[in-house]
Amino acid sequence: MAGEITETGELYSPYVGLVYMFNLIVGTGALTMPKAFATAGWLVSLVLLVFLGFMSFVTTTFVMEAMAAANAQLRWKRMENHQEEEDDDSSTASDSDVLVQDSYERAEKRPILSVQRRGPSNLFEITDRVEMGQMASMFFNKVGVNLFYFCIIIYLYGDLAIYAAAVPFSLMQVTCSAAGNDSCGVEADTRYNDTDLCWGPLRRVDAYRIYLAVFTLLLGPFTFFDVQKTKYLQILTSLMRWIAFAIMIVLALVRIGYGHAEGHPPLADFSGVRNLFGVCVYSFMCQHSLPSLITPISSKRHLTRLVFLDYVLILAFYGLLSFTAIFCFRGDSLMDMYTLNFARCDVVGLATVRFFLGLFPVFTISTNFPIIAVTLRNNWKTLFHREGGMYPWVVDRVVFPTITLVPPVLVAFCTHDLESLVGITGAYAGTGIQYIIPAFLVYLCRKDTQLAFGYGTVNKHRSPFRHAFWVGFVLLWAFSCFFFVTANIVLSETKV
């Protein structure tokens, strides 16, 4: 759940943490990036990808600084409570004891000017896993906390809608092709409409909705129970993901090397920037999971450098995947889900590889859907929870799971335009989670740290972007993007 202080978990080395973070960021968004690149033009895409990667790195350092500040406050509170217990257990209460107790009672009302002398040197060490919801509760007011949960909930709804559409869409593409609509003799740029026949009298859209119904019936019930992601399931899905990415990159490079490249992407096409922006924001999303990733790292001495290296590697990977795609395939033949470009006989001759890549999103996304759904359900519970209150059984076990499951399934029923779903989710909820929330968190945690510990206290994990200018710049960029994307959508709909 997003709002709790949870167990740190088993510690791991900084380089294992680097791999985990890489694995978290590179997910479904990467599969929609090649089409977004082809639509916006390679130069515009490259510039925007690098800039958005940099902005995501800035806000990641903001969240790490807020995590350290939250740990410091929790650690200082425990020190105070421990001192109070020692004073209470003392058998004699002298005048000096009373003065000491009074000084601790006043500590919450005035700055702690000499905390370095009274407390440990590692006051800002990140040892407690303080989730973003708990940090919001510590640094935001009630309205801010509610807005935080609202933003998280909208983002998770978008996630579920993308997952609910991606699995049936992949199944429709692969099975309708296998049924005879596609063969090794069909050209790579052949396009199908939803109204084209799939099996007998069934149209492709009918097949899609049948798969969506089966997907909902099989995975939907997990929303009504508690699901935890096992270590072995994570290893299996990660292994499948990297095998699939490696195969796609190698196959694209081989086709280009043999002179079969068909792509001639434009330099710039600003009509595609809206979706590209949302896809890139979505593809760099990790801020909401940083407490789970950062806290168990055993040595945090060079944490910022480690995260920077991760972002450089991710940028290189995204660039390699997208550039090989847009030069290998024609822009109008690139699918919303890039794996489907390889599920064709004229691209991949080996049937095993063809079906593995075509069905790859089905396996990986299906394992994530129940976990995201349970996370969303728990955030709904936290948003409406009142201190000391308990939900009736019907509300807890029926209402919350139902409002979690139904909206994304309805969205997936109405559309399977994955590029737009990813773009809108990233451009709106993604902007809030990746830019606005970290900026306000670091601004308010800095104020609280100065009030609580004094102006001379230094947070050992403070962001390299410590000047107030960067907070203002991130917020200005976030709101500018919000208005740009909204205006672009309105103008596009007006033209239609």
Side-chain angles (χ1 to χ4, degrees):
M1 199 146 71
E4 296 180 345
I5 301 172
T6 53
E7 294 182 4
T8 302
E10 186 179 350
L11 298 180
Y12 43 72
S13 71
Y15 293 105
V16 172
L18 181 144
V19 173
Y20 283 168
M21 187 172 183
F22 191 102
N23 201 37
L24 171 77
I25 295 177
V26 179
T28 313
L31 297 177
T32 62
M33 193 173 284
K35 185 177 180 180
F37 259 61
T39 306
W42 69 266
L43 182 59
V44 170
S45 299
L46 180 62
V47 171
L48 191 60
L49 179 69
V50 172
F51 180 72
L52 291 178
F54 169 74
M55 294 298 289
S56 180
F57 171 69
V58 170
T59 57
T60 295
T61 63
F62 285 174
V63 174
M64 291 192 299
E65 181 176 341
M67 287 167 56
N71 271 263
Q73 291 204 15
L74 292 171
R75 188 171 288 111
W76 183 255
K77 188 168 289 187
R78 283 197 294 266
M79 290 166 58
E80 285 187 323
N81 291 337
H82 180 68
Q83 182 65 42
E84 288 175 0
E85 288 174 4
E86 286 184 350
D87 291 344
D88 290 341
D89 291 341
S90 178
S91 56
T92 57
S94 63
D95 290 340
S96 62
D97 292 329
V98 174
L99 289 173
V100 169
Q101 181 66 25
D102 287 343
S103 69
Y104 277 98
E105 288 176 356
R106 291 195 302 272
E108 294 185 0
K109 301 178 183 178
R110 62 180 174 82
I112 302 165
L113 299 177
S114 57
V115 68
Q116 302 298 343
R117 292 193 296 272
R118 291 195 284 172
S121 59
N122 62 342
L123 192 68
F124 289 90
E125 193 64 57
I126 301 173
T127 54
D128 289 330
R129 192 167 78 185
V130 187
E131 302 292 351
M132 280 191 78
Q134 178 64 17
M135 286 190 279
S137 301
M138 294 174 71
F139 302 122
F140 292 170
N141 58 22
K142 188 174 180 60
V143 175
V145 171
N146 288 337
L147 288 175
F148 163 81
Y149 278 107
F150 177 76
C151 191
I152 286 284
I153 285 169
I154 295 300
Y155 174 76
L156 293 175
Y157 268 133
D159 244 0
L160 291 178
I162 292 164
Y163 288 1
V167 171
F169 181 70
S170 296
L171 288 169
M172 176 194 72
Q173 289 292 118
V174 173
T175 57
C176 287
S177 297
N181 285 17
D182 197 359
S183 66
C184 293
V186 177
E187 295 181 2
D189 60 351
T190 301
R191 308 291 290 182
Y192 295 109
N193 295 318
D194 285 348
T195 53
D196 291 341
L197 294 180
C198 180
W199 321 304
L202 279 180
R203 300 170 302 166
R204 291 171 66 87
V205 69
D206 298 327
Y208 168 80
R209 287 171 179 169
I210 290 171
Y211 283 130
L212 176 61
V214 172
F215 176 83
T216 306
L217 290 173
L218 288 177
L219 297 180
F222 287 102
T223 312
F224 295 80
F225 307 100
D226 288 322
V227 178
Q228 291 185 342
K229 193 171 189 177
T230 66
K231 177 181 178 181
Y232 299 105
L233 187 61
Q234 185 177 2
I235 292 172
L236 177 63
T237 55
S238 299
L239 184 63
M240 289 180 64
R241 178 186 306 168
W242 291 114
I243 290 174
F245 280 131
I247 290 174
M248 288 187 292
I249 291 172
V250 170
L251 286 176
L253 287 172
V254 168
R255 282 176 62 84
I256 294 171
Y258 277 104
H260 297 152
E262 303 168 348
H264 300 283
L267 198 67
D269 185 350
F270 291 99
S271 63
V273 170
R274 182 194 77 194
N275 271 345
L276 176 67
F277 168 75
V279 168
C280 289
V281 170
Y282 187 82
S283 299
F284 282 112
M285 186 66 66
C286 69
Q287 284 74 7
H288 58 305
S289 299
L290 283 175
S292 303
L293 287 171
I294 299 298
T295 308
I297 294 177
S298 55
S299 175
K300 303 181 179 70
R301 283 185 60 192
H302 305 295
L303 191 57
T304 303
R305 295 179 190 174
L306 184 77
V307 173
F308 178 75
L309 175 61
D310 229 335
Y311 270 91
V312 171
L313 293 174
I314 290 165
L315 271 174
F317 173 78
Y318 282 162
L320 181 62
L321 180 72
S322 300
F323 274 88
T324 54
I326 62 177
F327 284 100
C328 180
F329 298 101
R330 286 174 51 180
D332 58 355
S333 71
L334 278 168
M335 307 288 288
D336 285 351
M337 190 69 68
Y338 181 47
T339 49
L340 295 174
N341 281 89
F342 296 90
R344 310 176 59 98
C345 298
D346 57 347
V347 177
V348 181
L350 192 60
T352 306
V353 175
R354 193 165 62 245
F355 280 100
F356 170 74
L357 290 176
L359 297 175
F360 156 70
V362 176
F363 302 127
T364 55
I365 290 174
S366 296
T367 58
N368 287 331
F369 185 88
I371 299 150
I372 301 294
V374 169
T375 303
L376 174 55
R377 183 201 68 192
N378 290 341
N379 275 283
W380 270 122
K381 290 181 180 180
T382 304
L383 180 62
F384 289 105
H385 180 69
R386 295 296 175 265
E387 198 67 36
M390 291 186 65
Y391 295 115
W393 184 89
V394 174
V395 174
D396 185 51
R397 291 295 181 180
V398 178
V399 174
F400 282 126
T402 301
I403 64 174
T404 296
L405 185 62
V406 171
V409 172
L410 287 177
V411 171
F413 182 84
C414 295
T415 180
H416 55 67
D417 186 354
L418 294 174
E419 188 184 15
S420 294
L421 286 174
V422 172
I424 291 172
T425 301
Y428 288 104
T431 296
I433 295 172
Q434 193 165 147
Y435 300 138
I436 297 174
I437 291 172
F440 278 113
L441 267 180
V442 79
Y443 175 74
L444 293 172
C445 88
R446 287 170 181 172
K447 287 182 65 176
D448 278 17
T449 299
Q450 290 175 351
L451 288 172
F453 303 125
Y455 287 88
T457 308
V458 177
N459 186 334
K460 64 185 293 185
H461 292 294
R462 65 181 178 178
S463 169
F465 310 97
R466 61 183 64 97
H467 196 279
F469 162 80
W470 288 104
V471 176
F473 179 69
V474 169
L475 290 174
L476 179 63
W477 166 251
F479 288 116
S480 299
C481 291
F482 177 84
F483 288 119
F484 165 76
V485 171
T486 304
N488 196 284
I489 291 174
V490 171
L491 290 174
S492 299
E493 292 298 322
T494 304
K495 289 179 182 178
V496 173

